[in-house]
Structure formats: structure tokens, C-alpha cells
Amino acid sequence: MKSIKNLILIVIFTYSCGFKVINVSELQNFYISSIETSGDKRIGYNLKNKLLLKTDDSTKENIELIIDVKKNKSVKEKNASNEITKYLINVNLDIKIKKNNKVINQLNISNEKDYNVDSQYSQTIVNENKAVKSITELLVAKLVREISLINSNDL
């Protein structure tokens, strides 16, 4: 009988521990007032547009972003006749987060993806553009999550 009471008490105390899953959208209490990009222009343009769409409420806390975009393309695979069959694209972002003209944090976020070389050069370019677009979407999601976490802790 005593062990049943102890078991019930343990269940009650562990069941109501107060743990709550964090919703990232609730943490997103910042507004990006300006974004400056340098480096690869196409990726910078896409990053800027997607970030501005993510944060559209100007009543929240204003921050500024300075993003340096570096894109590196390298050979991943070659076949037996030494022809390139796959490339690897690595996109690296060096980000400075500013608030009231003071740098409050610096981040380095990167992601990579490979793509196949096709028999037609134009199709290879389309494959590269799809890979870059996919990387850009992942980097935007990572960046928003990192800024949200920094914003909830430091600002």
C-alpha cells in the first residue's frame, strides 16, 4: 500500500513539472529595419527579400543586419573518365546584428548542398540555381531562429 502511494506521488510531481514547448513564432519579437548585404549579389538579394517577409511588424524591437555572403563551388565527384558528375555548393554567411548603431552579436551560419551535372549546360545551371535557392531558404530559417534565441536572451 505504501509503494502505491509513493508511485502516485511520483506520477503527480513529474506530470506537473511545468515544462512547456517553446514556440519560435512567439519568440520572434524583433523587426529588421535594414539589411546590408555584400558578396554574392543573387543570394544576398534573395536573403534580404525572405528576411523582410519574415519580420513585418514594425512595432517590435528594431535591429539591423549586415550580411557578408560567400559562395564556394567545388567538385564533389568525378567518373572513371575524369569528367565531373557532381558539384558541391557551400554558402557561408557572416552576420553582424546591430541595435542602436552598436554591434550586439556576430553569427556565422553556413550550409551546403550538392547538385548533378547534366548533359546540357543549361540544365546544369538550372540544377545549380535550385540548389542555391534551397540553401537560401534553409539559411533564412536558421538565421531567424538564431536571432530569435539571441533576442530572447540578450536584448
Side-chain angles (χ1 to χ4, degrees):
M1 192 67 164
K2 194 173 190 180
S3 64
I4 294 175
K5 286 181 185 179
N6 288 340
L7 182 64
I8 291 174
L9 286 175
I10 290 173
V11 169
I12 289 173
F13 284 124
T14 58
Y15 182 71
S16 60
C17 66
F19 178 76
K20 182 180 176 186
V21 177
I22 295 176
N23 188 358
V24 175
S25 64
E26 292 174 2
L27 291 177
Q28 192 172 330
N29 57 355
F30 62 91
Y31 172 70
I32 301 174
S33 59
S34 70
I35 301 173
E36 296 177 24
T37 60
S38 61
D40 191 278
K41 293 183 188 293
R42 176 178 285 167
I43 297 173
Y45 179 78
N46 288 335
L47 279 171
K48 187 185 287 190
N49 286 339
K50 290 178 187 210
L51 282 171
L52 290 175
L53 285 175
K54 294 273 185 188
T55 59
D56 56 357
D57 188 8
S58 61
T59 60
K60 297 177 180 176
E61 198 160 10
N62 287 341
I63 62 171
E64 300 173 19
L65 297 178
I66 301 171
I67 303 173
D68 183 28
V69 180
K70 295 176 186 164
K71 179 177 115 176
N72 186 15
K73 182 169 100 171
S74 59
V75 176
K76 185 175 181 180
E77 284 183 12
K78 290 184 178 183
N79 61 10
S81 61
N82 207 20
E83 295 175 341
I84 298 170
T85 57
K86 280 189 181 180
Y87 281 107
L88 179 71
I89 292 184
N90 184 5
V91 177
N92 188 15
L93 303 179
D94 292 322
I95 304 143
K96 292 181 183 175
I97 303 171
K98 292 174 73 176
K99 179 183 170 190
N100 299 330
N101 293 326
K102 294 181 184 176
V103 176
I104 59 169
N105 209 334
Q106 293 184 351
L107 297 172
N108 187 356
I109 299 174
S110 64
N111 205 342
E112 62 186 20
K113 185 168 179 134
D114 59 351
Y115 66 94
N116 294 326
V117 174
D118 212 335
S119 59
Q120 294 180 342
Y121 179 72
S122 61
Q123 188 60 40
T124 304
I125 297 297
V126 168
N127 292 346
E128 179 181 1
N129 289 338
K130 285 180 183 178
V132 168
K133 185 177 179 182
S134 172
I135 291 172
T136 304
E137 290 173 4
L138 291 171
L139 288 173
V140 167
K142 280 185 183 179
L143 181 59
V144 169
R145 184 173 6 122
E146 288 292 324
I147 293 173
S148 296
L149 293 174
I150 290 169
N151 199 21
S152 67
N153 292 334
D154 294 339
L155 301 179

